[in-house]
Amino acid sequence: LSTLTVAMIDLLLLGVMVLWGVRLHCMTTVTLLIALGLAIDYSCHLAHAYETSPLPTMLDKVKHACSTMGLSILNAGVSTLLGTGFLAFSITPVFRTVFVLVWNTVLFGLLAGLMVVPVILSIMGGGTKTRKHSNRLLGMMQDAAFGQEAIHDWRAHHPVGGSGRRYVPMA
């Protein structure tokens, strides 16, 4: 998902370069490489928070990821924008090009990381889709955790069969 997000952001940056009349040369190539690092940062951190969330449903995982990591991602983007904002007042074309590309990278990255990625994760992310299914899964996990008691319960309700051998479920 993060790779798709970075590819989308790079395509948007190439479109911005066409709109602003920026030619592809060594400085824009270096700036595009920096954009790769900036673009993956936002979506990757949110996806990691989603994956490490202890909650069972996809929607709960997205809410947890956004509440734990969303503000940090926003702070990172805003601080990058503030740190490079002075380049807007430069008269040098190289610095103006860096400004345009970095600002668009951060804006597209924030848009993707805080809006697009959470929506995609809530629809297609790992986890269960409904609370009913997650409650059933939680019940199965609890049964597995108390497996020995379940075996003893089963033995108490199922006496020895006709062959004299007892069936013991594998633990």
Side-chain angles (χ1 to χ4, degrees):
L1 181 62
S2 295
T3 305
L4 180 66
T5 304
V6 171
M8 178 185 70
I9 291 170
D10 280 346
L11 284 174
L12 288 170
L13 282 178
L14 292 174
V16 167
M17 287 174 63
V18 169
L19 290 176
W20 279 75
V22 176
R23 293 179 34 192
L24 189 61
H25 51 78
C26 65
M27 191 61 204
T28 55
T29 305
V30 169
T31 307
L32 285 173
L33 288 174
I34 293 170
L36 280 172
L38 289 173
I40 198 166
D41 202 30
Y42 307 117
S43 60
C44 209
H45 278 89
L46 193 81
H48 181 262
Y50 177 87
E51 278 299 314
T52 58
S53 173
L55 301 173
T57 66
M58 290 187 287
L59 189 58
D60 289 339
K61 286 178 133 197
V62 168
K63 288 178 183 177
H64 182 260
C66 288
S67 66
T68 58
M69 193 58 67
L71 189 58
S72 299
I73 292 171
L74 186 63
N75 284 338
V78 169
S79 66
T80 304
L81 292 175
L82 290 174
T84 57
F86 68 92
L87 294 174
F89 304 109
S90 175
I91 57 173
T92 309
V94 172
F95 291 133
R96 300 266 308 172
T97 300
V98 170
F99 166 75
V100 167
L101 292 178
V102 168
W103 266 61
N104 280 299
T105 299
V106 172
L107 291 175
F108 291 145
L110 285 174
L111 180 72
L114 295 176
M115 297 177 122
V116 176
V117 171
V119 170
I120 292 173
L121 286 175
S122 68
I123 296 170
M124 299 180 345
T128 59
K129 291 190 184 288
T130 63
R131 288 194 188 279
K132 180 180 175 187
H133 183 67
S134 67
N135 287 339
R136 188 175 66 205
L137 183 63
L138 185 61
M140 289 170 49
M141 289 169 48
Q142 287 173 341
D143 288 345
F146 302 110
Q148 292 300 320
E149 292 174 20
I151 291 171
H152 293 299
D153 263 359
W154 187 87
R155 284 183 182 164
H157 297 321
H158 294 84
V160 177
S163 66
R165 293 188 302 182
R166 297 180 72 175
Y167 173 73
V168 178
M170 296 175 69

